Amino acid sequence: MSKIKTTHVFTSESVSEGHPDKVCDRVSDAILDACLMQDPDSRVACETLCTTDLIVVSGEITTKAKVNWQQIALDAVSDIGYNVPGVGFSSENAKVMVAIHQQSGDISQGVTEGEGLYKEQGAGDQGMMFGYASSETPALMPAPIFYAHKIVEEFARLRKSDPVKYAYLRPDAKSQVSIRYESGVPVAVQTVVVSHQHTPDMPIEWLTALVKEVVARVIPAELRQEEITYFVNPTGRFEIGGPHGDTGLTGRKIIVDTYGGVGSHGGGAFSGKDPSKVDRSAAYYCRYIAKNLVAAGLAEKCEIQVAYAIGVAQPISVNVDTYGTGKVLSDDMLEKLVCKVFDMRPAAIIETLKLKHPGNTWCYADTAAYGHFGRDIFPWEKTDCVEKLQSAAAAMR
């Protein structure tokens, strides 16, 4: 008989906004924002490729918006910090190629209300989407990915807030955090890996000291009680980075974007897709459901799966898994509760989360780095269904 594993180490990684794949996510989402802000009914599936001083923007976009694709791309690159000529990739030198056409009419008729076989707005594709929440961090995110994001996010903040003091730092970076769990609870950070692009004259000792300062700032003291092993730029140097060092593509960091390898993933990417694409909107809604269930005290951990057929409004399946941490109702009963409280039709998801209307408090470009989940600026991170869930759960007991 196998014994229950009570101690384990779990590792997650994050990458900065200057990582080549994240540059592409940012460009794609900036174009999405530009379309939706003029035409909320825009249909956007924007894919970007970035390499040495070249940005290729392609995909299917149907919109009434008037958008300068090239300028949107270059502005995004500049905002990230690639604005220094002569380093292989910059907003000053990059050429932008555009290859965009309209959305397929076959897809459009299944997604547009009143067209196709079904009169309701249907899902923009078939597939399954997942959402996850855990009580192990204040944001109800798994600890390894949450703190990996915090490290690279803090480095970006420092780089941008004081460009003289942190002149050694360039935009591309990665972090990795390994945390030991005991009986399912995170107890200690064991290892931190940081690789950060830098200028040729940066002393590695300077970066090592800064990594330790950042870790002390963003990771709680209770997880730093034991000695942490650090690996900082473990190849020795990281001068050539960003799209000059490695070609980037939209949608290639799906685990970084979600839960760092915790739970399941349906395989769909997010960036550059308007909310009619359930790959994005339903994954956001599943996170919204899972987070509210955990916030309501109905489970310590929760994963939601939903699946769709293209052109069909109602999901073809819904599954709730609390990994045995459910407190009030069984997972079967929680599934019934979820279906009672939450409307998972695409049009309802879009309306509930206001996904057609990015604006002053958030935009899709904000999601392109440091995770689509775990930051309160996004509407799918609200816990505004807690009382409704608690009341409905009490009635079902």
Side-chain angles (χ1 to χ4, degrees):
M1 176 184 287
S2 62
K3 294 183 179 180
I4 297 174
K5 190 175 182 181
T6 57
T7 300
H8 73 280
V9 177
F10 198 89
T11 301
S12 295
E13 74 156 347
S14 180
V15 297
S16 74
E17 63 197 82
H19 184 282
D21 295 330
K22 285 288 140 198
V23 173
C24 295
D25 287 346
R26 174 65 175 274
V27 171
S28 294
D29 273 335
I31 287 173
L32 171 63
D33 283 327
C35 291
L36 290 177
M37 286 176 183
Q38 294 183 48
D39 177 9
D41 293 322
S42 296
R43 297 285 168 74
V44 179
C46 182
E47 308 291 345
T48 302
L49 177 148
C50 290
T51 187
T52 303
D53 278 333
L54 177 64
I55 304 167
V56 180
V57 179
S58 63
E60 299 77 47
I61 299 179
T62 301
T63 184
K64 297 175 183 176
K66 304 299 181 184
V67 178
N68 185 331
W69 315 113
Q70 288 89 347
Q71 195 60 52
I72 291 290
L74 293 174
D75 287 348
V77 168
S78 178
D79 186 66
I80 289 169
Y82 287 114
N83 44 30
V84 179
V87 296
F89 185 80
S90 74
S91 57
E92 300 295 321
N93 295 342
K95 304 293 189 294
V96 182
M97 295 177 56
V98 178
I100 290 172
H101 59 276
Q102 289 194 333
Q103 182 185 54
S104 161
D106 294 346
I107 297 174
S108 178
Q109 72 172 8
V111 178
T112 303
E113 183 177 356
E115 299 182 9
L117 293 177
Y118 303 92
K119 297 309 176 187
E120 285 188 274
Q121 176 178 337
D125 201 352
Q126 69 175 51
M128 64 283 191
M129 300 85 211
F130 292 89
Y132 183 87
S134 169
S135 61
E136 62 193 62
T137 61
L140 304 187
M141 286 287 288
I145 187 65
F146 183 71
Y147 295 117
H149 284 323
K150 290 295 184 184
I151 291 171
V152 284
E153 190 174 17
E154 177 64 6
F155 266 96
R157 188 191 69 80
L158 294 173
R159 174 174 58 84
K160 291 181 173 183
S161 64
D162 195 339
V164 175
K165 182 178 180 180
Y166 299 103
Y168 290 126
L169 300 179
R170 285 179 172 162
D172 195 359
K174 286 186 174 185
S175 67
Q176 190 168 280
V177 176
S178 302
I179 295 180
R180 189 177 81 253
Y181 286 72
E182 293 180 0
S183 301
V185 177
V187 296
V189 173
Q190 288 198 335
T191 307
V192 171
V193 183
V194 174
S195 295
H196 207 299
Q197 185 189 13
H198 58 85
T199 60
D201 55 340
M202 185 204 73
I204 188 66
E205 297 81 8
W206 178 88
L207 181 59
T208 299
L210 184 58
V211 167
K212 292 180 179 180
E213 288 179 19
V214 167
V215 166
R217 194 175 302 142
V218 303
I219 295 181
E222 59 267 24
L223 294 178
R224 295 185 282 107
Q225 296 299 314
E226 301 176 13
E227 184 175 354
I228 299 173
T229 300
Y230 288 91
F231 293 95
V232 178
N233 281 16
T235 67
R237 306 295 291 174
F238 185 9
E239 295 176 28
I240 300 172
H244 181 46
D246 188 12
T247 298
L249 294 170
T250 300
R252 207 159 54 175
K253 286 291 177 283
I254 61 175
I255 300 303
V256 171
D257 285 346
T258 52
Y259 308 102
V262 175
S264 307
H265 198 294
F270 299 151
S271 287
K273 296 178 179 178
D274 77 84
S276 72
K277 280 76 172 172
V278 285
D279 271 349
R280 185 171 210 166
S281 55
Y284 288 176
Y285 202 60
C286 285
R287 162 65 177 172
Y288 177 64
I289 296 170
K291 186 174 183 181
N292 273 273
L293 285 169
V294 172
L298 299 178
E300 291 292 327
K301 300 178 182 179
C302 183
E303 181 177 85
I304 307 293
Q305 186 205 47
V306 63
Y308 293 91
I310 188 168
V312 180
Q314 289 288 355
I316 61 174
S317 70
V318 178
N319 185 61
V320 177
D321 187 351
T322 65
Y323 300 90
T325 69
K327 296 181 178 181
V328 178
L329 300 174
S330 68
D331 288 0
D332 289 342
M333 293 300 289
L334 284 174
E335 184 179 309
K336 291 181 173 62
L337 177 67
V338 164
C339 292
K340 179 180 180 180
V341 172
F342 297 96
D343 188 342
M344 286 169 274
R345 294 173 298 169
I349 292 173
I350 291 167
E351 174 58 29
T352 299
L353 301 181
K354 308 300 181 189
L355 296 180
K356 285 186 178 183
H357 302 284
N360 294 329
T361 58
W362 73 281
C363 62
Y364 284 103
D366 294 329
T367 70
Y370 316 121
H372 291 245
F373 308 118
R375 291 183 287 156
D376 287 341
I377 61 172
F378 302 128
W380 49 91
E381 292 295 316
K382 293 179 181 178
T383 52
D384 52 1
C385 292
V386 166
E387 291 183 6
K388 186 185 296 185
L389 285 168
Q390 291 171 337
S391 176
M396 294 176 69
R397 294 182 67 178

